[in-house]
């Protein structure tokens, strides 16, 4: 084993992916994972769904068992917070009082939930970590009415889970449809109808003015009146955990800013996952994406670049959500001026909505048609030429839309 030491700060999928890729890529030096969580990295998507159900196992789904880290000589410092970074000395001060030197550092510090407005109370909860989910699961079991603040993914998933458990659920949302930011207005309206049909009470166009614990219930005060519930779950977005980086002089701007190789402006310091605002060559802009798949691939990319491969991160962003019996997926990025083309049936809730511009697919949102997303992920960054009529024709396999490129074409030509 070499004397080189790499340190990864974080407890999510990006951190787990980083250490795994470093080892599989041949790094044989010291490898340390620092996480303020008390357990090894675990899957977070189930925390707002299956994990909340009383009959499900009370333990998280681990990305890798603890023995894997031992077998691969990854030192795990759990329940330990990285408090201060000194890039000049290449040292990391820990909450234990120890100081850890490094040759390469990957910051995968993730995000935290926006704090709940109003009183600090176990009737007013946020959801991000395993500890949050355990408390919510416990409180949800005895609640009859749950109010959810925010109609984004976490809010909608929690409401769907609550309804599935026989609870009364209310969503308070500032916009006039649910998931407007992620899906746009027209598709968001379809999901709004789905939740309404399942019995979720919707307070749209509503601004939360405060939340108060009365001692026997929680009261949400909005610009349209008050809502009394047994439990309030705040799903009002997240904040990137940039403080460690910012205090060390690393550039931050809605996340830790990196180039396409996951490198920050400080030598030997990389960032990956939800916290990273990385330059994406295809979109020619910095993007910070909070999706499980992206975090996994981003961590692997950071590791490969730390190993000296100089590979730009060129992945298409992809996410999914399960609500009730429906599966929602999206890949790519759209703009408001893109033509929207529907393939499938809106009435049957089985369709894909493509964003089309200049003969190229820019993104797709699929409801209960996951194969369309798989096909589009392969098309997004390669040459293809498509019309709206071809997309609407369900007899036309999407994989036939890819243009034939000469064998001599370069990677740049294929992504231009």
């Amino acid at each position: 084993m070499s004397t080189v030491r790499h340190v990864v700060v974080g407890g999510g999928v990006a951190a787990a992916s980083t250490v795994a890729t470093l080892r599989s890529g041949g790094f044989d030096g010291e490898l340390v994972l620092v996480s303020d969580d008390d357990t090894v990295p675990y899957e977070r998507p189930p925390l707002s769904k299956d994990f909340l159900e009383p009959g499900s196992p009370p333990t998280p789904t681990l990305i890798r068992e603890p023995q894997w880290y031992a077998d691969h000589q990854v030192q795990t410092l759990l329940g330990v917070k990285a408090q201060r970074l000194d890039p000049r000395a290449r040292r990391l001060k820990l909450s234990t009082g120890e100081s850890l030197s490094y040759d390469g550092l990957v910051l995968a510090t993730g995000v935290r939930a926006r704090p709940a407005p109003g009183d600090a109370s176990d009737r007013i909860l946020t959801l991000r970590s395993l500890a949050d989910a355990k408390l919510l699961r416990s409180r949800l079991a005895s609640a009859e009415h749950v109010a959810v603040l925010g109609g984004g993914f976490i809010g909608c998933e929690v409401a769907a889970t609550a309804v599935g458990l026989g609870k009364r659920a209310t969503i308070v949302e500032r916009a006039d449809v649910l998931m407007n930011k992620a899906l746009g207005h027209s598709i968001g309206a379809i999901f709004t109808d789905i939740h309404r049909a399942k019995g979720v009470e919707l307070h749209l166009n509503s601004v939360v003015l405060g939340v108060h614990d009365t001692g026997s219930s929680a009261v949400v005060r909005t610009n349209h009146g008050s809502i009394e519930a047994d439990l309030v779950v705040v799903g009002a977005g997240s904040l990137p955990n940039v403080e460690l980086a910012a205090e060390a002089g690393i550039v931050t701007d809605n996340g830790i800013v990196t180039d396409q190789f996951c490198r920050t402006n400080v030598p030997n310091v990389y960032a990956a996952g939800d916290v990273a605002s990385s330059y994406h060559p295809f979109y020619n802009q910095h993007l910070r994406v909070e999706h499980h798949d992206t975090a996994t691939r981003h961590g692997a990319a950071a590791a490969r670049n730390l190993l000296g491969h100089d590979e730009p991160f060129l992945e298409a962003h992809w996410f999914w959500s399960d609500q009730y019996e429906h599966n929602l997926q999206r890949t790519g990025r759209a703009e408001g001026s893109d033509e929207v083309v529907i393939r499938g049936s809106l009435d049957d809730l089985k369709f894909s909505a493509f964003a089309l511009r200049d003969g190229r697919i820019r993104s797709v949102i699929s409801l209960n048609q996951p194969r369309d997303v798989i096909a589009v992920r392969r098309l997004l960054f390669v040459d293809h030429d498509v019309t709206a009529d071809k997309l609407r024709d369900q007899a036309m396999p999407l994989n036939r839309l890819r243009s034939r490129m000469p064998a001599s074409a370069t990677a740049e030509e294929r992504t231009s």
Side-chain angles (χ1 to χ4, degrees):
M1 177 176 284
S2 74
T3 57
V4 174
R5 174 190 285 163
H6 292 333
V7 176
V8 179
V9 180
V13 290
S17 177
T18 301
V19 296
T21 305
L22 284 170
R23 281 300 187 231
S24 64
F27 176 64
D28 66 350
E30 292 184 42
L31 188 51
V32 184
L33 177 73
V34 180
S35 172
D36 56 7
D37 258 313
D38 292 327
T39 185
V40 293
Y42 51 88
E43 300 283 3
R44 293 180 190 268
L47 298 184
S48 57
K49 299 182 274 292
D50 298 349
F51 185 84
L52 298 178
E53 298 176 3
S56 64
T59 53
T61 302
L62 301 179
I63 297 170
R64 289 179 179 80
E65 294 297 320
Q67 189 59 44
W68 182 92
Y69 297 89
D71 292 344
H72 291 78
Q73 296 180 291
V74 179
Q75 183 183 5
T76 54
L77 301 180
L78 304 178
V80 175
K81 187 175 179 60
Q83 290 187 321
R84 190 166 63 84
L85 169 61
D86 183 347
R88 287 191 176 184
R90 293 190 187 179
R91 298 195 75 85
L92 197 63
K93 184 178 180 181
L94 306 178
S95 57
T96 57
E98 297 171 288
S99 178
L100 195 63
S101 65
Y102 67 83
D103 295 283
L105 175 67
V106 178
L107 300 175
T109 47
V111 299
R112 60 183 181 274
R114 287 187 183 276
D119 301 337
S121 164
D122 65 359
R123 290 190 178 86
I124 307 168
L125 307 178
T126 57
L127 177 57
R128 178 64 194 171
S129 67
L130 176 60
D132 296 337
K134 286 181 175 178
L135 180 57
L136 176 56
R137 172 179 166 137
S138 171
R139 296 290 292 120
L140 187 60
S142 59
E144 294 183 2
H145 181 201
V146 182
V148 180
L149 310 188
F153 280 104
I154 287 183
C156 287
E157 289 174 355
V158 169
T161 300
V163 168
L165 295 174
K167 315 292 182 182
R168 176 185 168 199
T170 299
I171 297 178
V172 182
E173 166 59 38
R174 180 184 292 264
D176 62 349
V177 297
L178 302 178
M179 294 189 288
N180 184 48
K181 184 176 179 181
L183 304 181
H185 192 274
S186 58
I187 306 301
I190 291 171
F191 257 81
T192 302
D193 289 341
I194 288 174
H195 280 270
R196 187 180 281 118
K198 292 293 184 180
V200 177
E201 299 171 31
L202 301 178
H203 289 243
L204 305 175
N205 297 305
S206 295
V207 178
V208 175
L209 303 177
V211 186
H212 178 58
D213 185 344
T214 67
S216 59
S217 65
V219 175
V220 180
R221 189 164 54 87
T222 78
N223 58 331
H224 295 307
S226 296
I227 302 159
E228 185 173 6
D230 302 305
L231 179 64
V232 172
V233 181
V234 181
S238 61
L239 298 169
N241 295 320
V242 300
E243 289 78 5
L244 179 68
E247 291 170 5
I250 295 173
V251 174
T252 63
D253 182 10
N254 185 35
I256 301 175
V257 175
T258 80
D259 63 10
Q260 64 266 43
F261 304 104
C262 310
R263 299 177 300 208
T264 72
N265 63 307
V266 169
N268 306 305
V269 179
Y270 296 69
D274 293 0
V275 76
S277 176
S278 294
Y279 178 76
H280 197 293
F282 184 81
Y283 297 112
N284 191 30
Q285 61 180 303
H286 283 81
L287 301 171
R288 189 175 69 79
V289 178
E290 297 180 24
H291 301 320
H292 179 280
D293 179 72
T294 298
T296 302
R297 295 169 185 268
H298 209 199
R304 287 193 294 271
N305 285 310
L306 187 55
L307 293 171
H309 292 287
D310 289 337
E311 296 177 3
F313 183 71
L314 285 169
E315 299 284 349
H317 307 130
W318 167 64
F319 66 75
W320 80 95
S321 177
D322 293 319
Q323 297 173 35
Y324 311 109
E325 67 273 30
H326 303 294
N327 174 260
L328 169 73
Q329 298 192 29
R330 176 174 186 165
T331 190
R333 296 177 62 81
E335 295 181 2
S337 58
D338 293 343
E339 179 182 5
V340 177
V341 181
I342 301 297
R343 179 185 177 98
S345 170
L346 296 175
D347 291 338
D348 294 338
L349 299 179
K350 185 176 174 61
F351 66 88
S352 294
F354 297 85
L356 185 63
R357 187 185 345 139
D358 300 329
R360 292 187 63 99
I361 299 170
R362 304 295 169 165
S363 78
V364 64
I365 300 170
S366 289
L367 182 61
N368 302 318
Q369 289 202 151
R371 289 185 177 179
D372 287 355
V373 175
I374 295 172
V376 170
R377 288 183 76 183
R378 295 170 178 156
L379 286 171
L380 278 176
F381 300 152
V382 300
D383 195 51
H384 64 276
D385 189 16
V386 65
T387 64
D389 286 341
K390 285 183 179 178
L391 286 179
R392 291 190 189 99
D393 181 3
Q394 294 202 78
M396 165 66 75
L398 294 176
N399 57 14
R400 292 189 184 175
L401 299 175
R402 181 169 180 163
S403 300
R404 292 188 176 183
M405 297 289 290
S408 58
T410 66
E412 289 184 352
E413 288 171 335
R414 291 173 186 277
T415 58
S416 63

